[in-house]
Amino acid sequence: MMQRWTLVLAMLASAAAADPAAVRVNSFPNAKALPLHAGMAQGFFARRDLALQLSFTENSTKQREGLAAGEFDIVHSAVDNAVAMVETAKKDVVIVTGGDSGMNEFFVQAYVRSFADLRGRKLVVDAPNTAYAIQAKKILLKHGLKDGTDYTVVPVGRGELRLKAMAENSDYAAAILNLPFTIQAEQLGMKSLGNTVDILGPYQANGAFALRAWVESNGPLLERYIAGYVESLRWVRRPENRAGCVTILAEKLKISRDVAERTYQLLVDPTRGFTPDAAFDMEGFRNMLALRAEIETGGRAAPPAEKYVDLSYYRRAMNALDK
């Protein structure tokens, strides 16, 4: 009898050890979530014994609050949000990968002929004090328009909601938009006044970040996750997988195949799309920190980039992936 129970317990322990580790990931429901969807569909995470639990946020404020509360383990978002969590919410957060430079454009209503026409108008943003809202404020400042004096900032949430607000109310004159919403805005007769990188220079936008305590307690798991994500991104960027990616975009974002086709082409554009292997752009990050310091802290010197970033997990994941 004792031997039988020993065998049963051993079998249960073996089964438990084989269970994949749950990783709770939160992102925005836009085109840049494509590698997450593709990685789950193609089994890149599962093959690393990871059970990805993917959720989406309404806005970056809720996302930051959710990460701080331990509702998710890893966030994919504009890394300016990680800086905001450290500096404003006093949460110890660390950035572990890059992702892209934003794929952002400054979109306006058809009646707007130039930035000067935005005087006295309303700018819709996600959250008013991070990332693309800061980009918008800087762009308008370059054209002589000051926040709170020359225009009004209206927080409405993620890109989908910013586009919806502009489509339903022409008083909402402008917003920073990314894919696929830039394409949909164009179809609605809105127009772009420029790509944010062209206007402001290099910018580290999307990346992955997490609470430092979780990272330090789950290093090997994080490295497996990063390796799975990079493998997913490589799959997405291969031309032979275009049709599969277009199908995923159309289904997950509820967009037409035509919009999905155009979105995919821009996602894999070598100069504007996904950064290969989700590499971190340190120059773009330092520019982001300088921009945040100028707009949000009254021009105080930007903290050192190393305060917020730990790429050691990324490097180990890449070493394992490329063996």
Side-chain angles (χ1 to χ4, degrees):
M1 179 66 71
M2 182 63 68
Q3 288 180 334
R4 182 180 299 173
W5 275 111
T6 301
L7 179 60
V8 170
L9 291 172
M11 292 174 63
L12 290 173
S14 176
D19 286 344
V23 184
R24 299 169 301 166
V25 176
N26 187 264
S27 186
F28 280 81
N30 58 29
K32 290 189 281 188
L34 176 58
L36 296 169
H37 293 302
M40 295 174 71
Q42 296 298 316
F44 295 128
F45 298 109
R47 283 198 287 275
R48 288 174 171 78
D49 294 323
L50 299 175
L52 204 65
Q53 298 176 3
L54 182 59
S55 62
F56 294 105
T57 190
E58 182 178 338
N59 57 60
S60 58
T61 299
K62 289 186 177 180
Q63 186 183 61
R64 295 194 302 268
E65 291 172 349
L67 181 61
E71 294 174 11
F72 3 96
D73 304 316
I74 301 170
V75 158
H76 284 262
S77 181
V79 295
D80 185 285
N81 287 293
V83 176
M85 289 187 70
V86 173
E87 299 301 332
T88 305
K90 306 304 178 185
K91 299 296 181 181
D92 196 3
V93 173
V94 62
I95 302 163
V96 295
T97 77
D100 59 72
S101 62
M103 310 181 207
N104 291 325
E105 295 187 54
F106 197 109
F107 260 82
V108 296
Q109 297 284 6
Y111 61 77
V112 176
R113 295 165 298 176
S114 68
F115 287 106
D117 286 347
L118 294 174
R119 189 178 299 276
R121 302 290 186 177
K122 294 177 180 178
L123 169 74
V124 291
V125 302
D126 175 9
N129 59 352
T130 58
Y132 309 148
I134 294 176
Q135 283 190 314
K137 291 176 183 180
K138 174 60 177 178
I139 290 170
L140 291 173
L141 189 61
K142 283 169 66 73
H143 290 85
L145 302 178
K146 295 182 180 180
D147 174 26
T149 302
D150 298 311
Y151 62 92
T152 303
V153 172
V154 182
V156 300
R158 65 199 188 202
E160 171 192 1
L161 301 177
R162 297 196 295 277
L163 176 60
K164 183 174 185 288
M166 291 181 69
E168 294 178 351
N169 186 345
S170 62
D171 287 342
Y172 293 142
I176 298 283
L177 298 176
N178 52 34
L179 294 168
F181 314 116
T182 50
I183 295 172
Q184 294 175 313
E186 184 183 275
Q187 291 178 334
L188 291 171
M190 301 173 199
K191 57 189 178 184
S192 172
L193 293 185
N195 178 284
T196 55
V197 171
D198 291 341
I199 299 171
L200 299 176
Y203 187 86
Q204 176 57 61
N206 222 49
F209 53 93
L211 294 175
R212 192 181 298 272
W214 184 89
V215 168
E216 292 177 348
S217 298
N218 296 276
L221 184 150
L222 174 60
E223 290 164 24
R224 297 198 329 260
Y225 173 79
I226 293 173
Y229 181 83
V230 170
E231 191 172 15
S232 302
L233 181 56
R234 289 177 177 179
W235 186 89
V236 163
R237 297 182 73 247
R238 292 190 191 107
E240 63 268 26
N241 297 323
R242 177 187 183 114
C245 290
V246 168
T247 296
I248 291 172
L249 288 168
E251 291 179 353
K252 297 298 183 180
L253 301 182
K254 303 295 188 290
I255 56 179
S256 70
R257 194 161 184 92
D258 173 63
V259 172
E261 288 272 4
R262 293 176 60 191
T263 297
Y264 176 78
Q265 190 60 42
L266 292 169
L267 285 172
V268 298
D269 182 279
T271 59
R272 298 285 176 84
F274 287 122
T275 305
D277 288 352
F280 191 80
D281 178 2
M282 191 60 76
E283 178 189 4
F285 186 60
R286 290 193 175 102
N287 286 349
M288 188 222 80
L289 290 174
L291 176 61
R292 179 175 180 80
E294 177 186 354
I295 300 299
E296 288 298 309
T297 68
R300 293 200 303 268
E306 292 73 18
K307 177 179 180 180
Y308 310 102
V309 183
D310 184 347
L311 298 179
S312 63
Y313 301 92
Y314 175 85
R315 288 191 290 268
R316 285 191 291 272
M318 293 301 295
N319 287 338
L321 185 60
D322 292 333
K323 281 183 179 179

